Amino acid sequence: MDIALLGNPNTGKTSMFNNLTGSYEYVGNWSGVTVEKKVGIFKQGAAKLIDLPGVYSLNPLSKDEGVVTRFLLDDPFDRMLNIVDASQLERNLHLTLQLIEFGSPLIIGLNMIDVAKNRGIQVDDEKLSSVLGVEVVPVVARTGRGCKDLAEAATTPYRETKKQFQVDYGEEIDKAITKLEQLLQGESSHSTRWLTLQLLEGNPYVKKYLQSYIDIADLDGLIHSTSRAVLAGSEVRTIEQFIYKRRQAAIGEILKETTEVKGNR
Ligand code: GDP
Ligand code: K
Ligand code: MG
């Protein structure tokens, strides 16, 4: 089983990688960039853990960050392990929502719960799990607390039981998803919802990928017509901003249900 390790920068991915894996199978660079590629073998069992660069969003700001989208598009893997910083949940969930949209089996390692606690932030991991429809395991990667449970959960064959959280992006984006579905004619195995959102956000790797199936004029037409419709009567100026704000609003709702901040911070 191949498991992709994903998360924002500085959330404890490397600490977790070292906790979960014993030996390295392969060390090299990701193609086209000088970012080290690390693949580790789980201490128990034969599953592989693939370390990926830390990113705040899948729409890359640099070639290094593009490694993540290219990996999701091109490399086969079985599931995603998203390391989330419990003390920075609001920021971290932007990536998590995009991973949910991608649609591969997902498990969350809710890390830094010690830091969160010290700041008076209490995250209800069970509630977070039920709201997102994703398994959540609380951990402290620095001390190893919970890491065995996470290893076990991550390597246990996946059963899809819960309905996963869906951001409401509104009618115009839903129309764009339907339109892209028509243009693709079943050619891609990736989630059309995810492809549409990344295309509209300006992810260049997703656009390039879609160009292997769809004429660029049709893709640009879809982007422009959706932008025009979405931005009419809206205070935001770009469709990327529009999508960001919708995710932000959804995250606000998620936090309301799952997080409590006590005392002075
Ligand atoms: P990465 O950038 O996601 O690979 O994160 P690192 O594994 O390099 O961790 C960033 C910093 O956070 C390091 O100083 C770690 O020791 C620390 N760290 C990682 N996990 C935890 C945790 O659960 N609690 C605390 N207090 N610190 C952590
Ligand atoms: K780091
Ligand atoms: Mg790291």
Side-chain angles (χ1 to χ4, degrees):
M1 185 178 349
D2 289 349
I3 302 171
L5 183 61
L6 298 143
N8 287 12
N10 290 313
T11 53
K13 291 180 304 303
T14 297
S15 310
M16 187 60 72
F17 185 92
N18 294 336
N19 259 305
L20 297 178
T21 62
S23 57
Y24 289 81
E25 182 185 62
Y26 168 73
V27 180
N29 279 354
W30 292 97
S31 79
V33 291
T34 53
V35 181
E36 191 188 27
K37 178 177 183 179
K38 287 195 296 176
V39 179
I41 315 287
F42 273 76
K43 284 174 186 163
Q44 289 94 1
K48 288 180 201 164
L49 190 62
I50 303 149
D51 195 20
L52 285 151
V55 291
Y56 292 107
S57 167
L58 292 179
N59 185 13
L61 297 170
S62 66
K63 262 184 112 178
D64 288 1
E65 288 194 4
V67 164
V68 181
T69 292
R70 280 164 53 206
F71 173 84
L72 294 178
L73 285 169
D74 301 335
D75 292 20
F77 62 95
D78 301 290
R79 73 172 56 165
M80 307 183 284
L81 171 55
N82 179 202
I83 303 301
V84 167
D85 178 348
S87 73
Q88 304 273 1
L89 204 51
E90 185 170 3
R91 185 167 67 187
N92 279 237
L93 286 177
H94 279 275
L95 178 65
T96 303
L97 291 178
Q98 292 171 63
L99 296 178
I100 289 174
E101 282 157 8
F102 183 75
S104 281
L106 175 65
I107 179 164
I108 291 174
L110 186 65
N111 195 33
M112 307 267 185
I113 49 175
D114 57 331
V115 179
K117 203 174 164 208
N118 286 338
R119 294 193 196 157
I121 303 166
Q122 188 84 42
V123 181
D124 183 337
D125 55 275
E126 284 173 18
K127 193 76 211 271
L128 185 63
S129 173
S130 74
V131 171
L132 294 179
V134 175
E135 188 166 6
V136 174
V137 180
V139 286
V140 179
R142 192 146 85 173
T143 64
R145 187 177 143 201
C147 290
K148 237 180 145 178
D149 293 338
L150 182 60
E152 197 175 303
T155 55
T156 300
Y158 181 75
R159 15 173 203 102
E160 195 152 358
T161 47
K162 302 169 191 164
K163 193 187 177 313
Q164 296 198 327
F165 186 89
Q166 270 209 348
V167 178
D168 177 9
Y169 292 104
E171 196 185 340
E172 297 302 335
I173 302 271
D174 286 347
K175 271 194 222 161
I177 296 167
T178 306
K179 177 74 189 173
L180 192 71
E181 188 86 57
Q182 289 163 359
L183 289 170
L184 273 172
Q185 300 181 322
E187 290 280 1
S188 168
S189 57
H190 292 301
S191 150
T192 309
R193 183 178 172 82
W194 180 78
L195 290 169
T196 306
L197 287 157
Q198 294 295 323
L199 175 74
L200 294 174
E201 284 182 271
N203 189 326
Y205 297 98
V206 167
K207 187 170 184 186
K208 197 163 164 235
Y209 167 82
L210 286 169
Q211 276 175 253
S212 56
Y213 305 112
I214 300 168
D215 201 273
I216 188 165
D218 288 336
L219 289 175
D220 285 333
L222 178 62
I223 296 168
H224 291 140
S225 64
T226 309
S227 294
R228 218 178 306 118
V230 159
L231 299 178
S234 160
E235 77 282 13
V236 299
R237 271 179 294 173
T238 65
I239 191 155
E240 193 183 349
Q241 229 174 58
F242 175 87
I243 291 170
Y244 181 89
K245 282 200 147 189
R246 287 290 179 129
R247 282 198 194 115
Q248 186 79 5
I251 289 167
E253 294 302 314
I254 295 166
L255 292 179
K256 235 190 269 172
E257 289 189 62
T258 60
T259 305
E260 223 181 292
V261 183
K262 288 183 206 137
N264 54 336
R265 299 205 279 150

